[in-house]
Structures are given as structure tokens and as C-alpha cells.
Amino acid sequence: MYLILSLLQQMSVYLVLAYMLSKTPIFLPLLNISSQVSHKFSCYVLFSLFCVMGTYFGLSINDAIANTRAIGAVMGGLLGGPIVGFAVGLTGGIHRYSLGGFTDVACAISTTAEGLIGGLLHLYLVKKDKSALLFNPMVVLAVTFVAEVSQMLIIVSVAKPFGHAYTLVSEIAAPMIIANCIGAALFISILHDKKTIYERYSATFSRRALTIAERSVGIWNTGFDATNSEKVARIIYEETNVGAVAITDNEKILAFIGIGDDHHKPNTPISSGSTIQAMEQNRIIYLGGRETPYHCSISNTCKLGSALIIPLRAGKKVVGSIKLYEPKRKLLSNINRSMGEGIAQLLSSQILYGDFQQQQALLTQAEIKLLHAQVNPHFLFNALNTISAVIRRDPDKARELIQHLSHFFRSNLKQNIDTVALKDELAHVNAYLTIEKARFTDRLDVEINIDDGLLEKLLPSFTLQPLVENAIKHGVANRLEGGKVRIYSEQHSLGYKVVVEDNAGNFSPPAADYEGLGMEIVTKRLINYFGDIAELQIDCRKGEFTRMSFLIPNNK
């Protein structure tokens, strides 16, 4: 009983010292499990000192020492892994061996084994993704019990003479097992409490996320580009106090603020395989733990030691990533990980909203510009002159042309919506072509051959008319005779291709004027509605034909 009380008394001094150290930055590396060399070295030094102190605090009994050395060895293995546990146990064992006694070899072996036992449990729990159990006092008590029992068995097996060893173990086994198990459980409890307080304290900084939201809202409304990304990255860097912040699109770095900005340069291609993997798999990747250490893909002397890579999404589509870094001397805290995920969700929503606004603005711009194109004064002037010429010789024909002109402008006024059925688009184009045929008389021949199954398909309004107008203005109008415009459909593996073709072959890339803007808006609206596969394609063979085509996919 006296021995138990003496060991518990010494353990109390031991724990008071541990508690005092927990108030200093020395304990911070112990609050997280990491594979960083600096973290492991800190565990080795700290727990080796505890191991040595446990021996010095021990009681001399029959040329042996009853002690609390096991606490340092087991804790070193639990928090540092098998290599650190072995190293701490070996250091403590060598120190004990240097003090002599008939149990010196046995104690050296057993202390090393205790550190290794703690390290093997660390390895098992980390592989099972249950590292939180390493901070559970009951788990630590159990593994210390196993380690202490193992120590007693080693002493009985190795120490000579056997009779002395057996007598010693009979006397010290129960007191040492009780003292060391309770001491290890209380030690980890101190760490657990420190960890909890630290994370709760850190959680108060989550309010910074609200500040980030307030400061960054609206920045990406004008586009997900390098300029806007640099503004957002700087806000996040200032509010989170992490080592560095990077924002990328799917191909290059858009912005980088913080440690490492001397070699992580904006507008350079992404070189990190982990970043590409995170975006391709649409999942968060943390680099800096035991299984996935961080290695800079650009510089071997990079001061960054951990990174959190979070995909940025516009809806379901991954459009880039945000990356939070910490230097090698500092671990990326759980609160910053959680905050990073929340920030990424916030920014993804902003990107999606910005895209929506851009598409809305694009639609409005397209409607205004294309409507202006349809009410081209030159077309109206030519149409009225044509009707004026026809009315003298064929009043009925003139009346028909006026009806078509009325239908054309009525369609312009009515089609202020995003999409129309292809049959309505063809009716609008037919009204335009009827007037143009009367103007060019026998110089213009029109052929329309669209699959009946496409007539009810929806497409962006005012898609065909600019293409037909371009075919006449830059094709048929330049021929003295035999001008022909064909509007037809072709089956494609992904849907149907709609083609507008003239037989002049006079197309040249339009300048940045009204006509060029018209073609640009048509292709952008097609892509926004159908996707990239619907991009406007232009094929021209000089003097033979110009074909403008786009795809209506089956899956729309």
C-alpha cells in the first residue's frame, strides 16, 4: 500500500509538470496527429524527457526502481507512431540501463517494448481512421495496462536470478500497473481537455467566415477570372490567417497570396497532381497527414507544410479549386479545415450566381442586338422599295409581301423569350426569305429540308435568322445569278445538325461590328443552352459554298 501511495504521489508531481507544460506552445504539436518530421521530433524529445523523469522520480527497491517511466514510452508511441514510440522507449531504456541494477537489461528491453506497443496501436487506429480514440483516456488506460503487464513478464523472463526477479515483480507489479495506467489516462485527459479548449476557442474564429462572405459577395458576379480571384484570395488570407491561399480554374493558378508566392505564380499551369485529382474526382483532399504528406510540386525549398484542396463548383460542374496552406512549423487546424469547406461552398454559390447573371445579361444583350439586327433600316428600306416596285405590276403579290413583312416584324416583337420551337424559327425565317426572294427575283433560290422530328425541338430564339441574313448579304448578293440558300438537317451521332448553306463561298471572319457581334452572340447562346458540342461551326470553300451549322443534341 505504501508503494502505491508513493508512486501515485510521484505521478501527481509528474502530472502537475505535464499540466504546466500544457499551458505553453510546447504541447500544441501533440494536439493533432501528423506525419510531419517536426511533429514527430517534438513527440520524441518531449516524451523522452518524461521517460527519463519517470525513472528519476522512481523508488529504489531491492536493487531495482519502481517508476512511472512507462507513461512517457507509451504516450510517445500513441501520439508519435511506432518509430517515435520505439525511439522514446529505447532512449528511456538506455537511460535506465545506465543506472545499473540486476533489472537493467530487462528494463531497457521492456521500456522499448512499451513504446513500440503504443506505436502499434497508433498505426492501427490511424489506418482504421479512428485516430480520435488516441485521445480517449479509457483506450490509453487499456494499452498502458497491456504494456505494463508485458514489462513485468519481460523482467521475470530476462532478469537474473529468477527468484529475485519473481519477488520484485510480485512486490511492484500491482502498484506500477495501477499508477502508470491511471497516470497515462490522466495525462491523455490533460491533452484531450487542452485540445477541446483549443478547438472551442478556435471555433470562435468561424465568425470570420461571415466577414469573408460580406467582403467577397458580388466580386465574382463579373466573372471567375484572375483579377477577381486575386481579390477573393486576399480577403480569405487576411481573415483566416493561414499561411497562404490559392485559387485555380481547371487549368491554371488564378491567384496566390502568402508564403510561397515567390514560386507559386498566377497564370501558370497547375502542376499539382493532387489539385487535378481533387477537381476530377470532385472531392476534398488534405495533404499533411500521415498517409498523404504535402510535397510542393514546384520547389524543394518551399516553406509550406500542409494544404487543403477544395473543389469550386458552379452547380454540379467543377470549375476550379481553392487551396489553404500552412507552413511546416504549423499544422492546419480542424477549424481552418471546416472554415475552408464552408468558404468553398460560399464561393461556389457566388460563382454559380455570377454565371447566372452573366447568362441573363448575355440573353438580354442578345435579344437587344439581334432585335436591332432584324429591324435593320437597310432591310426595311429594301423591303419597302421591293414592295413599291411590285405593287405596280402585281398588286396581289405586293399584298402578300406586306403580309410577310408584317409577320416578320410581329415575330420580332413577340419573340422576346429565351427559346422557341424550331418550326416557329423557320416560319420567322421564311417570312424574311419571301421578301428577299421578291427583291432578288430569279437570283435567289431557297431550299428548306428539315426533319419533321426536329420541328418541335426548342432552341435559342433568333438563331437561324442571322445565319440566313449572313448567307444572303455576303453570298447571294454578290452573285449575278444562280444564288442559292439551303436550310437543312443532317443526322449526327449525338443528335441532328442544322445547316445554313449558300453557294457563293465568300465568307471571311467578321470584324468586331454588328455582324461579327451577331455571330458571336448566336454561338454563345447555343453553347449556354445546349453545351459546348453545339458551338457554331463555319466551313467555307472559296467560290463554292459557305456552311454554318450547329448541333441540336438528343439529350436536351
Side-chain angles (χ1 to χ4, degrees):
M1 188 66 179
Y2 169 77
L3 183 57
I4 294 177
L5 293 175
S6 297
L7 286 174
L8 289 176
Q9 182 181 17
Q10 292 171 19
M11 181 199 69
S12 299
V13 176
Y14 189 88
L15 292 176
V16 168
L17 181 60
Y19 178 77
M20 292 174 62
L21 287 174
S22 72
K23 300 297 183 179
T24 69
I26 297 175
F27 258 45
L28 290 181
L30 306 181
L31 302 183
N32 290 280
I33 304 302
S34 172
S35 62
Q36 292 183 13
V37 175
S38 59
H39 174 268
K40 292 184 177 298
F41 181 74
S42 297
C43 286
Y44 167 74
V45 172
L46 191 60
F47 289 115
S48 291
L49 291 174
F50 277 115
C51 217
V52 171
M53 284 192 302
T55 301
Y56 279 129
F57 290 163
L59 299 174
S60 295
I61 299 177
N62 299 329
D63 199 28
I65 302 175
N67 60 81
T68 54
R69 179 175 60 249
I71 297 176
V74 173
M75 295 297 298
L78 280 174
L79 300 181
I83 295 177
V84 174
F86 178 82
V88 171
L90 183 61
T91 302
I94 291 174
H95 173 260
R96 169 62 187 88
Y97 177 79
S98 68
L99 298 179
F102 81 100
T103 61
D104 53 359
V105 174
C107 288
I109 296 173
S110 63
T111 305
T112 305
E114 287 179 309
L116 193 57
I117 289 171
L120 291 175
L121 180 63
H122 169 103
L123 190 63
Y124 173 79
L125 292 177
V126 168
K127 283 188 175 182
K128 293 294 184 179
D129 198 24
K130 296 179 179 180
S131 56
L133 291 177
L134 294 172
F135 293 92
N136 186 314
M138 296 307 297
V139 171
V140 175
L141 187 146
V143 71
T144 307
F145 176 82
V146 172
E148 278 294 273
V149 171
S150 300
Q151 181 185 36
M152 298 305 155
L153 293 175
I154 291 173
I155 292 174
V156 171
S157 302
V158 176
K160 303 299 180 184
F162 174 78
H164 288 173
Y166 181 79
T167 301
L168 175 67
V169 168
S170 300
E171 186 174 351
I172 69 171
M176 283 187 60
I177 290 174
I178 293 172
N180 281 306
C181 288
I182 294 176
L186 291 175
F187 190 106
I188 204 68
S189 180
I190 292 173
L191 283 181
H192 182 268
D193 291 344
K194 178 68 175 180
K195 180 181 174 70
T196 302
I197 293 171
Y198 178 75
E199 291 189 347
R200 286 179 179 175
Y201 175 77
S202 298
T204 60
F205 290 94
S206 62
R207 288 176 293 182
R208 293 177 177 175
L210 298 177
T211 305
I212 292 172
E214 182 180 0
R215 292 182 60 186
S216 63
V217 67
I219 292 179
W220 272 334
N221 287 355
T222 57
F224 180 49
D225 54 26
T227 301
N228 291 336
S229 296
E230 195 275 339
K231 295 177 183 177
V232 173
R234 187 168 295 281
I235 290 171
I236 297 171
Y237 177 72
E238 292 172 354
E239 295 295 337
T240 60
N241 293 321
V242 293
V245 177
I247 296 175
T248 77
D249 59 15
N250 288 326
E251 298 177 353
K252 62 181 181 299
I253 300 172
L254 296 178
F256 190 97
I257 307 293
I259 298 171
D261 57 5
D262 57 328
H263 55 275
H264 293 273
K265 297 292 186 181
N267 296 318
T268 57
I270 297 173
S271 59
S272 168
S274 297
T275 302
I276 296 173
Q277 182 182 5
M279 292 189 292
E280 288 179 347
Q281 300 179 2
N282 190 17
R283 67 184 183 92
I284 298 171
I285 292 180
Y286 172 67
L287 302 176
R290 177 184 180 84
E291 300 297 328
T292 54
Y294 173 79
H295 298 291
C296 180
S297 58
I298 301 175
S299 172
N300 293 329
T301 60
C302 182
K303 296 180 180 179
L304 297 173
S306 58
L308 183 68
I309 307 168
I310 312 170
L312 290 174
R313 295 179 290 270
K316 295 182 179 180
K317 182 181 179 182
V318 176
V319 296
S321 69
I322 179 171
K323 304 164 72 174
L324 303 183
Y325 298 89
E326 287 288 18
K328 293 179 179 178
R329 65 180 183 275
K330 182 181 178 183
L331 295 174
L332 194 62
S333 67
N334 290 334
I335 184 60
N336 277 337
R337 293 195 207 180
S338 300
M339 185 183 294
E341 295 175 25
I343 291 170
Q345 292 177 358
L346 167 70
L347 299 181
S348 294
S349 299
Q350 290 192 15
I351 292 172
L352 180 61
Y353 181 67
D355 283 351
F356 173 76
Q357 284 199 320
Q358 284 187 303
Q359 290 186 19
Q360 288 295 102
L362 182 62
L363 173 62
T364 303
Q365 182 189 34
E367 289 175 349
I368 293 173
K369 295 295 182 181
L370 289 175
L371 183 60
H372 174 71
Q374 310 313 314
V375 194
N376 190 310
H378 293 290
F379 168 70
L380 180 60
F381 177 77
N382 290 333
L384 292 177
N385 278 344
T386 299
I387 294 171
S388 176
V390 171
I391 200 170
R392 296 189 184 94
R393 63 177 186 274
D394 191 347
D396 291 336
K397 180 67 174 178
R399 188 180 302 108
E400 180 186 347
L401 292 177
I402 290 173
Q403 289 175 347
H404 281 290
L405 184 62
S406 173
H407 179 274
F408 177 81
F409 283 111
R410 188 181 302 112
S411 297
N412 273 0
L413 294 175
K414 290 173 62 178
Q415 292 188 16
N416 59 350
I417 57 176
D418 187 19
T419 59
V420 295
L422 181 56
K423 65 178 182 179
D424 296 327
E425 187 78 356
L426 287 172
H428 178 67
V429 167
N430 189 58
Y432 171 80
L433 286 172
T434 300
I435 298 169
E436 290 294 77
K437 286 171 66 176
R439 174 185 166 203
F440 289 102
T441 61
D442 58 356
R443 291 168 55 197
L444 173 61
D445 183 29
V446 176
E447 177 185 330
I448 299 178
N449 184 17
I450 297 292
D451 189 283
D452 290 341
L454 291 178
L455 295 179
E456 298 298 331
K457 291 281 188 179
L458 296 179
L459 73 164
S461 58
F462 296 115
T463 295
L464 283 179
Q465 200 279 335
L467 307 184
V468 173
E469 181 181 356
N470 187 80
I472 293 176
K473 185 171 183 179
H474 297 287
V476 175
N478 295 320
R479 294 180 62 95
L480 296 177
E481 59 182 3
K484 186 172 184 178
V485 173
R486 295 177 62 211
I487 305 172
Y488 60 95
S489 61
E490 292 180 341
Q491 195 160 7
H492 187 275
S493 60
L494 298 176
Y496 277 89
K497 183 181 290 187
V498 177
V499 185
V500 176
E501 176 184 314
D502 68 68
N503 64 343
N506 290 329
F507 176 81
S508 59
D513 53 14
Y514 135 74
E515 290 157 6
L517 180 60
M519 294 299 103
E520 181 182 346
I521 291 175
V522 167
T523 191
K524 284 185 176 180
R525 297 181 76 220
L526 284 168
I527 291 173
N528 283 335
Y529 188 69
F530 291 122
D532 293 338
I533 60 173
E535 181 179 5
L536 184 66
Q537 304 292 326
I538 301 175
D539 182 20
C540 179
R541 186 174 297 172
K542 195 69 175 178
E544 295 185 29
F545 63 79
T546 297
R547 295 191 186 111
M548 295 189 175
S549 61
F550 60 89
L551 187 71
I552 298 180
N554 287 326
N555 60 358
K556 184 63 177 176

